[in-house]
Amino acid sequence: RYQIHTGLQHSIIRPTQPNCLPLDNVTLPQKLKEVGYSTHMVGKWHLGFYRKECMPTQRGFDTFFGSLLGSGDYYTHFKCDSPGICGYDLYENDNAAWDHDNGIYSTQMYTQKVQQILASHNPRKPIFLYIAYQAVHSPLQAPGKYFEHYRSINNINRRRYAAMLACLDEAINNVTLALKKYGYYDNSIIIYSSDNGGQPTAGGSNWPLRGSKGTYWEGGIRAVGFVHSPLLKNKGSVCKELVHITDWFPTLITLAEGQIDEDMQLDGYDIWETISEGRRSPRVDILHNIDPIYTKAKNGSWAAGYGIWNTAIQSAIRVNHWKLLTGNPGYSDWVPPQAFSNAGPNRWHNERVSWSAGKTVWLFNITADPYERVDLSARYPDVVKELLRRLSQFNKTAVPVRYPPKDPRSNPKLNGGVWGPWFKEDEKKKKGDKNKGANKQKNKNKKKAN
């Protein structure tokens, strides 16, 4: 489902927020379990953990080994959300994995865990393995030996990033070798995907695309990925069709011969034939997002959106070749790799974009202009109106944003120094339930007496 249909359309789930992927959202592992799959997760969860029901083991995974938060130290698995609000974040199933805290770099530790799972499972029985490596994400840390090949990179962040990626590449190789060694490979599908664009201030690069992680420019939303499988019909081909992250859910359930109920209201499509056989994608559009909470564009208005859409709201939509953005677009420079000095991207090399014109609507032909250099909104007002109408239609189906304030009970100090579920149903409510129970018992006893 699109973010607007989960309530998670604004920002990320913070460690101290009583928030998680709503419990009525059925997950991919839950659907795969229905058709006999063993389901295992290794790595980064980041879908909320404030109550036990939100934990990976309650959302369809037989086993979970990894972290609950969005980031943390790669060796100590420690994370501070703010000064004094710090805790340990490495889990095995539902408990802190203190005994695994051996100072091993997380990319290597997660790979070892994957190898153990594959070694102990029967390869003739179906298995779904979700590996969400922490790399490459800040803080930028990597074992020393991986730096050797990158001494020529002047910028220290870029050098660390390259070292982390070299370690990740090695990890993917080791997972693939384990699939071969233990007899899974010939009947396996490996999907490798990033989750967002790079962060130029932390070693990432989206050049020649525009913008960075956290924006709706192509540099923020266009992610690299590949599918590798002996089961692919067309191997070694490049798919340039529209494919969105929501498509993995129906694609994989259909491949596994699972059931998708009609009332699930999915935004994803089964794209296996698109990937495997080079067919046209069933998709004609992608709603990148509508975020009603993000900082409003000062000059945005209903008038600028032809009375169809308030262009103060941050949103982006893609329909066939066209892409429309509205509102405050976020960081929108093009940052060439040579712009990386030790101070971060050097402002002298950036192509600064002036917002003095007060624009709040942009239109691009992404097929012809993937770098978003030529804004066509003035030239094609009818296309702008059509895409604004699509945005408005999508917005009618949006659920309210879930972005609750901090809960002081989330402090790891109150939980043995560990980040973990803290939410308990209100004591009052419990007392009320107890009284109800007592009354029920009294009535039962009365009935018996009668």
Side-chain angles (χ1 to χ4, degrees):
R1 287 185 188 168
Y2 286 138
Q3 305 94 303
I4 62 160
H5 296 144
T6 63
L8 300 175
Q9 59 269 60
H10 176 66
S11 189
I12 55 171
I13 295 174
R14 309 277 169 191
T16 55
Q17 283 180 318
N19 197 10
C20 73
L21 178 72
L23 300 174
D24 57 358
N25 281 250
V26 180
T27 66
L28 180 57
Q30 281 170 334
K31 295 301 290 179
L32 293 176
K33 272 173 83 74
E34 288 175 9
V35 283
Y37 273 70
S38 289
T39 56
H40 303 274
M41 175 179 169
V42 175
K44 166 178 161 176
W45 175 240
H46 206 196
L47 285 175
F49 59 88
Y50 77 105
R51 51 197 296 174
K52 287 199 173 87
E53 293 87 348
C54 300
M55 295 284 280
T57 51
Q58 304 293 310
R59 306 304 301 265
F61 287 107
D62 294 331
T63 69
F64 165 60
F65 180 73
S67 64
L68 296 173
L69 277 59
S71 63
D73 190 284
Y74 283 74
Y75 292 97
T76 64
H77 320 295
F78 207 72
K79 166 77 174 182
C80 291
D81 184 59
S82 56
I85 312 288
C86 302
Y88 181 68
D89 179 29
L90 183 65
Y91 268 75
E92 181 141 45
N93 300 322
D94 296 331
N95 300 305
W98 294 110
D99 48 339
H100 285 276
D101 187 11
N102 306 322
I104 302 175
Y105 185 64
S106 82
T107 302
Q108 294 164 327
M109 181 174 66
Y110 290 158
T111 305
Q112 287 169 11
K113 189 68 184 175
V114 170
Q115 289 164 329
Q116 287 165 16
I117 291 168
L118 292 172
S120 58
H121 183 80
N122 177 354
R124 285 188 290 282
K125 300 220 164 119
I127 183 171
F128 171 64
L129 187 49
Y130 171 53
I131 317 166
Y133 282 106
Q134 191 181 345
V136 176
H137 194 289
S138 59
L140 302 179
Q141 297 170 290
K145 69 171 187 176
Y146 296 99
F147 285 84
E148 288 164 14
H149 297 297
Y150 304 108
R151 290 206 179 115
S152 61
I153 300 177
N154 284 330
N155 175 265
I156 186 66
N157 280 347
R158 189 72 179 147
R159 198 184 321 151
R160 284 185 185 132
Y161 193 98
M164 294 169 83
L165 201 52
C167 182
L168 182 65
D169 283 347
E170 188 181 276
I172 301 305
N173 183 42
N174 288 337
V175 169
T176 312
L177 291 174
L179 288 169
K180 289 179 174 172
K181 178 179 175 181
Y182 298 116
Y184 297 89
Y185 179 79
D186 292 335
N187 192 31
S188 68
I189 296 167
I190 302 170
I191 296 166
Y192 180 101
S193 168
S194 176
D195 57 351
N196 46 247
Q199 181 56 277
T201 52
S205 173
N206 303 311
W207 177 261
L209 299 178
R210 186 175 188 174
S212 70
K213 171 181 175 172
T215 71
Y216 304 156
W217 299 111
E218 291 296 285
I221 57 175
R222 187 182 285 221
V224 290
F226 64 79
V227 178
H228 175 83
S229 173
L231 308 173
L232 284 171
K233 291 200 174 140
N234 296 358
K235 296 179 178 65
S237 59
V238 176
C239 173
K240 293 194 171 176
E241 293 290 309
L242 282 188
V243 171
H244 187 254
I245 194 164
T246 52
D247 299 333
W248 293 124
F249 185 90
T251 302
L252 294 180
I253 291 167
T254 307
L255 270 175
E257 297 175 357
Q259 282 297 302
I260 293 172
D261 316 318
E262 282 182 15
D263 60 352
M264 284 190 91
Q265 297 175 308
L266 296 184
D267 296 307
Y269 294 84
D270 176 359
I271 48 160
W272 183 248
E273 288 181 350
T274 306
I275 291 167
S276 180
E277 300 170 34
R279 301 225 187 153
R280 295 304 306 268
S281 172
R283 255 194 190 283
V284 291
D285 55 15
I286 293 174
L287 177 69
H288 292 310
N289 198 21
I290 298 169
D291 185 342
I293 291 185
Y294 190 77
T295 318
K296 303 285 183 285
K298 285 197 182 86
N299 302 304
S301 65
W302 284 96
Y306 300 100
I308 302 165
W309 182 255
N310 180 359
T311 65
I313 294 169
Q314 189 195 43
S315 70
I317 189 170
R318 170 86 184 259
V319 179
N320 293 318
H321 302 297
W322 296 108
K323 177 181 173 186
L324 180 93
L325 298 95
T326 73
N328 182 345
Y331 182 86
S332 43
D333 292 350
W334 295 266
V335 186
Q338 66 271 25
F340 288 97
S341 73
N342 275 332
N346 186 332
R347 283 291 175 204
W348 295 108
H349 291 282
N350 280 18
E351 302 183 43
R352 299 298 293 150
V353 187
S354 158
W355 298 119
S356 53
K359 277 185 70 60
T360 57
V361 178
W362 295 261
L363 179 73
F364 300 98
N365 180 328
I366 291 295
T367 311
D369 176 27
Y371 314 135
E372 296 169 298
R373 290 184 173 274
V374 185
D375 171 34
L376 300 170
S377 58
R379 205 184 306 174
Y380 296 104
D382 289 350
V383 177
V384 171
K385 286 178 194 167
E386 176 55 33
L387 268 61
L388 290 172
R389 278 188 208 102
R390 285 275 183 110
L391 264 180
S392 174
Q393 282 167 348
F394 270 120
N395 200 42
K396 288 188 179 113
T397 68
V399 300
V401 178
R402 299 166 66 103
Y403 198 72
K406 274 184 185 180
D407 184 334
R409 293 174 293 179
S410 62
N411 192 335
K413 280 181 187 159
L414 307 174
N415 191 26
V418 178
W419 288 103
W422 72 84
F423 191 85
K424 309 275 186 292
E425 294 298 332
D426 289 347
E427 292 303 313
K428 274 184 197 166
K429 201 173 162 193
K430 274 191 180 164
K431 276 181 191 160
D433 289 348
K434 266 186 195 166
N435 293 343
K436 262 190 207 163
N439 291 340
K440 263 188 193 166
Q441 196 56 46
K442 270 185 197 166
N443 293 339
K444 266 188 189 170
N445 295 343
K446 262 189 195 166
K447 272 181 190 163
K448 270 186 190 167
N450 293 342

